[in-house]
Amino acid sequence: MPSAEIVEKFVTWALVILGWFIIGRDQDRRARRTEVRDSLKSTSQLIIQIEDAAQSYWKLTGDDPESDAAALKLKFSLKQLSGEVVALCRHDVRFGLFIPVATFRKAATGGEFEVKTRKAETRNSQRLVDICSAGLDLREGLAHAFNEVYC
Amino acid sequence: MKENAINIANDFSRFPAGRYESDGPFNGEKFRRKILVPSLQDGKSIIVELDGTAGYGSSFLEEAFGGLIRVEHLRPDVVIKQIHLKSADASLVEEIKGYILSAK
């Protein structure tokens, strides 16, 4: 039969180990939270950049000499955005906002995108409003997912 | 080209762009007519690998895949069964499925 002293020491050490475990877990969680928050900030900035690039693109005519380069840059940025959302999804599936990403891409590069005969969009056209709206939905969706996961 | 598998970057272009033939050499209409439609003949199933390009415009995707229903008059349920889309980017797969199922 272990003496009361041995039991007391065992309980003390068990509590110490449990404390280390809890502190370690909290530190990991805080570090992951910071990492995801930073990623999210960078992704949100990328969404805003894409919105701006898309607005500029659609204000050009389809045969404008700058149109092809602007379109290629826009597609590449959207590909980068998809990659960032896939990376966020590895932290938690709630970041997997693939339908809002597709909606944003559709708004930015759908319809007559890369069509040579396309006319320039006028300021406040429905296309430009849709791009802003889809970008906002995606940013809000990501922020909502972060709150659900970490707050 | 491997049988029953299309890798867009290798078999078509790393820079797919545009909707119609008049929009450039690697447009959605050309991809549909020259690559997709012949591959789907005889009810064969195909794997379409989307990764490896410099990105896609939705206009290219809609013309290529939505055009199978809208222009080639294939049945959406048949096309969905025949084409297996493969990509690390799930948003691309979702978008293309949407074009196939909603095209009229």
Side-chain angles (χ1 to χ4, degrees):
Chain A
M1 284 281 288
S3 68
E5 196 180 331
I6 292 172
V7 171
E8 193 180 318
K9 276 185 181 173
F10 174 78
V11 170
T12 305
W13 275 108
L15 286 172
V16 168
I17 290 164
L18 183 67
W20 282 340
F21 175 75
I22 290 170
I23 288 168
R25 198 185 57 179
D26 283 353
Q27 281 176 339
D28 282 352
R29 187 175 157 78
R30 270 199 296 272
R32 201 175 307 121
R33 186 180 190 273
T34 305
E35 187 189 336
V36 172
R37 195 182 51 207
D38 291 347
S39 300
L40 211 58
K41 198 175 168 185
S42 134
T43 303
S44 291
Q45 283 169 350
L46 178 61
I47 294 168
I48 292 168
Q49 284 170 15
I50 293 171
E51 279 179 44
D52 291 344
Q55 301 264 345
S56 302
Y57 169 82
W58 284 97
K59 286 175 189 164
L60 301 172
T61 56
D63 60 356
D64 190 290
E66 291 179 19
S67 186
D68 285 352
L72 185 61
K73 197 176 167 190
L74 190 50
K75 288 187 291 184
F76 190 76
S77 298
L78 281 160
K79 183 179 174 165
Q80 189 187 341
L81 172 65
S82 298
E84 290 192 12
V85 171
V86 169
L88 280 166
C89 193
R90 287 197 196 105
H91 288 284
D92 192 288
V93 290
R94 280 170 281 188
F95 288 109
L97 300 174
F98 298 115
I99 293 193
V101 170
T103 305
F104 184 45
R105 181 171 45 241
K106 208 186 292 187
T109 67
E112 292 196 304
F113 182 76
E114 294 182 320
V115 171
K116 296 289 179 204
T117 52
R118 178 179 58 79
K119 289 178 182 163
E121 293 285 341
T122 53
R123 214 158 52 92
N124 299 326
S125 75
Q126 190 57 46
R127 165 72 62 186
L128 303 188
V129 172
D130 289 346
I131 291 167
C132 275
S133 174
L136 183 62
D137 286 347
L138 182 54
R139 279 185 282 134
E140 284 182 348
L142 289 170
H144 180 71
F146 181 81
N147 287 336
E148 268 194 357
V149 176
Y150 291 107
C151 299
Chain B
M1 190 191 301
K2 284 182 205 165
E3 196 177 301
N4 295 338
I6 297 166
N7 181 310
I8 297 182
N10 294 339
D11 301 327
F12 187 63
S13 173
R14 291 191 71 200
F15 300 95
R19 183 180 277 275
Y20 307 118
E21 295 278 11
S22 55
D23 298 330
F26 301 111
N27 57 79
E29 185 181 7
K30 184 177 181 180
F31 178 69
R32 186 187 73 235
R33 290 199 305 110
K34 303 278 184 191
I35 308 266
L36 275 184
V37 171
S39 303
L40 289 169
Q41 278 173 351
D42 306 325
K44 280 189 286 188
S45 289
I46 54 167
I47 297 167
V48 178
E49 294 181 26
L50 300 158
D51 296 340
T53 69
Y56 294 95
S58 293
S59 59
F60 173 91
L61 298 174
E62 199 286 327
E63 189 60 39
F65 294 93
L68 291 171
I69 284 78
R70 199 167 31 76
V71 181
E72 310 294 340
H73 306 296
L74 301 181
R75 280 175 45 193
D77 56 329
V78 175
V79 172
I80 283 285
K81 277 184 192 162
Q82 274 186 278
I83 296 182
H84 303 282
L85 300 162
K86 202 171 156 190
S87 175
D89 177 3
S91 74
L92 274 179
V93 175
E94 290 298 325
E95 185 176 345
I96 293 170
K97 283 182 179 172
Y99 291 137
I100 294 169
L101 293 171
S102 66
K104 287 173 187 168

